[in-house]
Amino acid sequence: MRTLRLTFGAIMLLSGIILTLLPGSILLVVGGLVMLSYDWPRARGWLKYSQKTMTTGARKIDRFLLLRKLR
């Protein structure tokens, strides 16, 4: 089961990185990191970093759109 989880997680992560130009590919990256984080501690760090970065980016976009709407 562990081998299957690692293989599937790696495939998802790599396909998400390869498809970075398409919308929704970040879900593959995050999904792959989630799968890998069960067995690989370094993937947990990458997952936390990516979640923090996505949260910060979403807040910046929300703030930008709110300020633009209030003009």
Side-chain angles (χ1 to χ4, degrees):
M1 187 64 169
R2 181 175 187 246
T3 307
L4 182 64
R5 188 171 48 229
L6 286 172
T7 304
F8 188 62
I11 290 171
M12 286 177 60
L13 178 64
L14 291 175
S15 62
I17 290 171
I18 291 170
L19 299 173
T20 54
L21 298 176
L22 299 175
S25 65
I26 191 68
L27 296 176
L28 286 173
V29 173
V30 172
L33 286 174
V34 168
M35 297 290 285
L36 291 173
S37 69
Y38 285 111
D39 299 314
W40 198 30
R42 184 173 275 184
R44 283 187 210 119
W46 292 344
L47 180 62
K48 287 179 185 178
Y49 175 76
S50 66
Q51 288 173 336
K52 181 180 150 190
T53 304
M54 287 189 303
T55 301
T56 304
R59 285 184 182 149
K60 285 181 182 179
I61 290 172
D62 287 345
R63 179 104 174 120
F64 173 77
L65 292 175
L66 179 65
L67 292 175
R68 185 174 171 200
K69 183 179 178 180
L70 294 177
R71 284 189 203 180

